Amino acid sequence: PIKINDGEIKFNNVTFSYTEGRKILDNCSFTIPAGQKVAIVGPSGSGKSTILRLLFRFYDIDPKIKNSSVLIDGQDVRDVDLDSLRREVAVVPQDTPLFNSSLLENLRYAKPSASDDEINDIIYQVKLDTLIKSLPEGVHTIVGERGLMISGGEKQRVAIARAVLKNSAIIGLDEATSALDTHTEQQILNTLKDVLGSRTGKKTTSIWVAHRLRTIVDADKIIVLREGKVAEEGTHREL
Ligand code: ATP
Ligand code: MG
């Protein structure tokens, strides 16, 4: 099984198509050093979410394309046992599905062994405490299609909570705070900054797909994607 030690990510001449004849990524190369916060920006449809899907292996690069690979700590993700990969890489997708079960179960799913204290901490950190207190059945309230319809921003916070609970070496956030108001977003960004910096002994590598500048101004690097390639990269100051 994979051993992710540091969490360095390398996209090596990545060429990828969902359907034949239409390249979404075209010889796309970049490196995300271990422990850094890196942002990916670019127009809608430029392949930002695709990058996270390849990292998490929702899709794979066609093996017929030679010298095209996604590497984590030097290992091709396609050679890695899927369970261990999914343990070590957390992704907050652009649109998060909730299960038709209680809020508690929706959170605990990310880490079945989580203690009540751990769950309660997370609830505070992602500012879901007020919502939960207002629900008649609190954390046991059923959410999802056949239960309480929670808002887009609340859903995003459940998704962030799940990803944080996993305590993975790598976290990908796909527009993960786009539905939050400025104030709540800032609180969540501060929380994330703390938790991503406090993994035992190591920083979490984080990849942020985001439109709003304030989510990424402090990134170590911003990668600008255009026409399937990296058009520019640098810090916010440099770009
Ligand atoms: P946005 O900012 O709108 O979220 P994005 O940069 O994340 O855009 P992707 O979701 O990576 O864009 O999609 C890149 C391209 O791939 C789009 O043109 C999209 O139509 C196409 N695409 C995405 N998913 C699929 C799929 N499952 N099958 C076929 N084409 C797809
Ligand atoms: Mg997207």
Side-chain angles (χ1 to χ4, degrees), residues 57-77:
R57 288 195 61 201
F58 280 126
Y59 286 89
D60 276 335
I61 301 172
D62 184 345
K64 290 198 287 286
I65 304 174
K66 298 289 168 221
N67 308 317
S68 183
S69 55
V70 175
L71 309 174
I72 299 179
D73 290 341
Q75 304 169 88
D76 191 318
V77 292

Side-chain angles (χ1 to χ4, degrees), residues 18-19 22 24 42-51 53 59 94 174-175 209 211 225:
Y18 289 101
T19 49
R22 181 167 175 246
I24 306 301
S44 181
S46 57
K48 305 180 297 296
S49 297
T50 301
I51 285 177
R53 291 182 200 123
Y59 286 89
Q94 205 162 4
D174 196 347
E175 302 283 7
V209 173
H211 283 291
L225 216 58

